[in-house]
Amino acid sequence: SVHFIATDPQTGAMVAACNFTNIVRGIFQACHLGYSVDHARQGQGLMHEVAQAGIGYMFETQGLHRIMANHLPANVRSEQLLRRLGFEREGYARAYLKIAGKWEDHVLNALVRPES
């Protein structure tokens, strides 16, 4: 996995995280993207900036071909972020992850390296 964080320049507190996990090499060359941003910082473009930098690193430096990211169907902010980053919807997974004791559906998205 590869992890990126953004910190508040005044306090040093972490305000956003962008994680690339489940990296698979060989013929797949792919990973999963996860992210979170401090509630007070949502809607300010911070997550887009951090994720965009991370995606560039994963494609250019790590040489990956595909990055996958999933979101809850009701999470409009995540959907909008992924669209702005160039992700495309690829499917819908029922009962995909168990969150707070409940199996939740997810929308499946992916970004393929543009020059591939």
Side-chain angles (χ1 to χ4, degrees):
S1 62
V2 176
H3 306 277
F4 294 87
I5 64 166
T7 58
D8 182 298
Q10 296 172 339
T11 66
M14 184 175 81
V15 293
C18 180
N19 304 297
F20 297 87
T21 60
N22 302 322
I23 298 170
V24 179
R25 296 296 184 174
I27 62 171
F28 196 34
Q29 296 296 325
C31 70
H32 282 95
L33 165 63
Y35 48 86
S36 64
V37 63
D38 181 86
H39 185 73
R41 306 276 180 141
Q42 290 180 4
Q44 298 175 9
L46 177 62
M47 195 68 260
H48 182 269
E49 182 180 350
V50 175
Q52 193 169 42
I55 289 166
Y57 175 82
M58 297 308 287
F59 281 156
E60 300 304 321
T61 303
Q62 292 295 315
L64 293 185
H65 170 73
R66 167 185 284 271
I67 299 173
M68 298 166 288
N70 308 319
H71 65 84
L72 291 164
N75 191 336
V76 176
R77 275 214 156 121
S78 276
E79 180 180 12
Q80 291 172 342
L81 171 66
L82 293 173
R83 295 298 162 263
R84 285 183 56 218
L85 290 167
F87 282 76
E88 295 180 14
R89 180 181 170 147
E90 291 193 322
Y92 191 90
R94 290 186 53 235
Y96 188 69
L97 292 176
K98 194 172 194 178
I99 300 172
K102 180 182 175 199
W103 286 102
E104 298 281 358
D105 296 353
H106 277 70
V107 176
L108 310 178
N109 306 274
L111 177 63
V112 175
R113 187 175 176 171
E115 61 277 4
S116 295

